[in-house]
PDB file of all heavy atoms in Angstrom:
ATOM      1  N   ILE A  89      -1.149  18.410   6.905  1.00  0.00           N
ATOM      2  CA  ILE A  89      -1.717  17.165   7.426  1.00  0.00           C
ATOM      3  C   ILE A  89      -3.092  17.494   7.982  1.00  0.00           C
ATOM      4  O   ILE A  89      -3.238  18.416   8.793  1.00  0.00           O
ATOM      5  CB  ILE A  89      -0.829  16.569   8.533  1.00  0.00           C
ATOM      6  CG1 ILE A  89       0.593  16.412   8.010  1.00  0.00           C
ATOM      7  CG2 ILE A  89      -1.380  15.242   9.014  1.00  0.00           C
ATOM      8  CD1 ILE A  89       1.623  16.343   9.075  1.00  0.00           C
ATOM      9  N   GLU A  96      -6.695  20.723  10.317  1.00  0.00           N
ATOM     10  CA  GLU A  96      -5.240  20.525  10.287  1.00  0.00           C
ATOM     11  C   GLU A  96      -4.747  19.900  11.588  1.00  0.00           C
ATOM     12  O   GLU A  96      -5.244  20.207  12.668  1.00  0.00           O
ATOM     13  CB  GLU A  96      -4.525  21.848  10.031  1.00  0.00           C
ATOM     14  CG  GLU A  96      -4.646  22.264   8.578  1.00  0.00           C
ATOM     15  CD  GLU A  96      -3.539  23.194   8.133  1.00  0.00           C
ATOM     16  OE1 GLU A  96      -2.376  23.021   8.549  1.00  0.00           O
ATOM     17  OE2 GLU A  96      -3.862  24.105   7.351  1.00  0.00           O
ATOM     18  N   ILE A  97      -3.776  19.019  11.455  1.00  0.00           N
ATOM     19  CA  ILE A  97      -3.162  18.338  12.590  1.00  0.00           C
ATOM     20  C   ILE A  97      -1.795  18.975  12.831  1.00  0.00           C
ATOM     21  O   ILE A  97      -0.981  19.076  11.905  1.00  0.00           O
ATOM     22  CB  ILE A  97      -3.006  16.828  12.314  1.00  0.00           C
ATOM     23  CG1 ILE A  97      -4.380  16.199  12.111  1.00  0.00           C
ATOM     24  CG2 ILE A  97      -2.235  16.148  13.427  1.00  0.00           C
ATOM     25  CD1 ILE A  97      -4.333  14.759  11.653  1.00  0.00           C
ATOM     26  N   ALA A  98      -1.550  19.400  14.071  1.00  0.00           N
ATOM     27  CA  ALA A  98      -0.278  20.037  14.424  1.00  0.00           C
ATOM     28  C   ALA A  98       0.828  18.985  14.504  1.00  0.00           C
ATOM     29  O   ALA A  98       0.651  17.930  15.101  1.00  0.00           O
ATOM     30  CB  ALA A  98      -0.416  20.759  15.766  1.00  0.00           C
ATOM     31  N   ALA A  99       1.964  19.303  13.860  1.00  0.00           N
ATOM     32  CA  ALA A  99       3.096  18.375  13.851  1.00  0.00           C
ATOM     33  C   ALA A  99       4.377  19.131  13.542  1.00  0.00           C
ATOM     34  O   ALA A  99       4.352  20.217  12.963  1.00  0.00           O
ATOM     35  CB  ALA A  99       2.873  17.275  12.825  1.00  0.00           C
ATOM     36  N   LYS A 100       5.483  18.531  13.935  1.00  0.00           N
ATOM     37  CA  LYS A 100       6.803  19.056  13.601  1.00  0.00           C
ATOM     38  C   LYS A 100       7.341  18.257  12.418  1.00  0.00           C
ATOM     39  O   LYS A 100       7.128  17.049  12.341  1.00  0.00           O
ATOM     40  CB  LYS A 100       7.743  18.931  14.794  1.00  0.00           C
ATOM     41  CG  LYS A 100       7.338  19.805  15.966  1.00  0.00           C
ATOM     42  CD  LYS A 100       8.202  19.488  17.180  1.00  0.00           C
ATOM     43  CE  LYS A 100       7.735  20.220  18.411  1.00  0.00           C
ATOM     44  NZ  LYS A 100       6.408  19.857  18.871  1.00  0.00           N
ATOM     45  N   THR A 111       6.433  14.363  13.202  1.00  0.00           N
ATOM     46  CA  THR A 111       6.188  13.994  14.601  1.00  0.00           C
ATOM     47  C   THR A 111       4.965  14.778  15.066  1.00  0.00           C
ATOM     48  O   THR A 111       4.985  16.015  15.099  1.00  0.00           O
ATOM     49  CB  THR A 111       7.411  14.323  15.481  1.00  0.00           C
ATOM     50  OG1 THR A 111       8.555  13.657  14.937  1.00  0.00           O
ATOM     51  CG2 THR A 111       7.189  13.859  16.910  1.00  0.00           C
ATOM     52  N   PHE A 112       3.911  14.065  15.408  1.00  0.00           N
ATOM     53  CA  PHE A 112       2.657  14.708  15.800  1.00  0.00           C
ATOM     54  C   PHE A 112       2.769  15.308  17.199  1.00  0.00           C
ATOM     55  O   PHE A 112       3.360  14.702  18.097  1.00  0.00           O
ATOM     56  CB  PHE A 112       1.512  13.694  15.750  1.00  0.00           C
ATOM     57  CG  PHE A 112       1.328  13.081  14.394  1.00  0.00           C
ATOM     58  CD1 PHE A 112       1.659  11.760  14.160  1.00  0.00           C
ATOM     59  CD2 PHE A 112       0.848  13.834  13.328  1.00  0.00           C
ATOM     60  CE1 PHE A 112       1.519  11.194  12.908  1.00  0.00           C
ATOM     61  CE2 PHE A 112       0.701  13.284  12.069  1.00  0.00           C
ATOM     62  CZ  PHE A 112       1.033  11.956  11.859  1.00  0.00           C
ATOM     63  N   ASP A 113       2.183  16.516  17.387  1.00  0.00           N
ATOM     64  CA  ASP A 113       2.172  17.146  18.715  1.00  0.00           C
ATOM     65  C   ASP A 113       1.410  16.263  19.702  1.00  0.00           C
ATOM     66  O   ASP A 113       1.825  16.118  20.846  1.00  0.00           O
ATOM     67  CB  ASP A 113       1.546  18.539  18.650  1.00  0.00           C
ATOM     68  CG  ASP A 113       2.440  19.541  17.923  1.00  0.00           C
ATOM     69  OD1 ASP A 113       3.587  19.187  17.556  1.00  0.00           O
ATOM     70  OD2 ASP A 113       1.988  20.691  17.715  1.00  0.00           O
ATOM     71  N   GLN A 114       0.301  15.692  19.249  1.00  0.00           N
ATOM     72  CA  GLN A 114      -0.481  14.729  20.023  1.00  0.00           C
ATOM     73  C   GLN A 114      -0.614  13.470  19.182  1.00  0.00           C
ATOM     74  O   GLN A 114      -0.943  13.568  17.994  1.00  0.00           O
ATOM     75  CB  GLN A 114      -1.888  15.277  20.334  1.00  0.00           C
ATOM     76  CG  GLN A 114      -1.900  16.511  21.210  1.00  0.00           C
ATOM     77  CD  GLN A 114      -1.413  16.191  22.618  1.00  0.00           C
ATOM     78  OE1 GLN A 114      -1.742  15.160  23.185  1.00  0.00           O
ATOM     79  NE2 GLN A 114      -0.595  17.081  23.160  1.00  0.00           N
TER      80      GLN A 114
END
Side-chain angles (χ1 to χ4, degrees):
I89 306 158
E96 285 204 38
I97 298 172
K100 294 172 186 64
T111 304
F112 301 109
D113 289 355
Q114 296 293 319

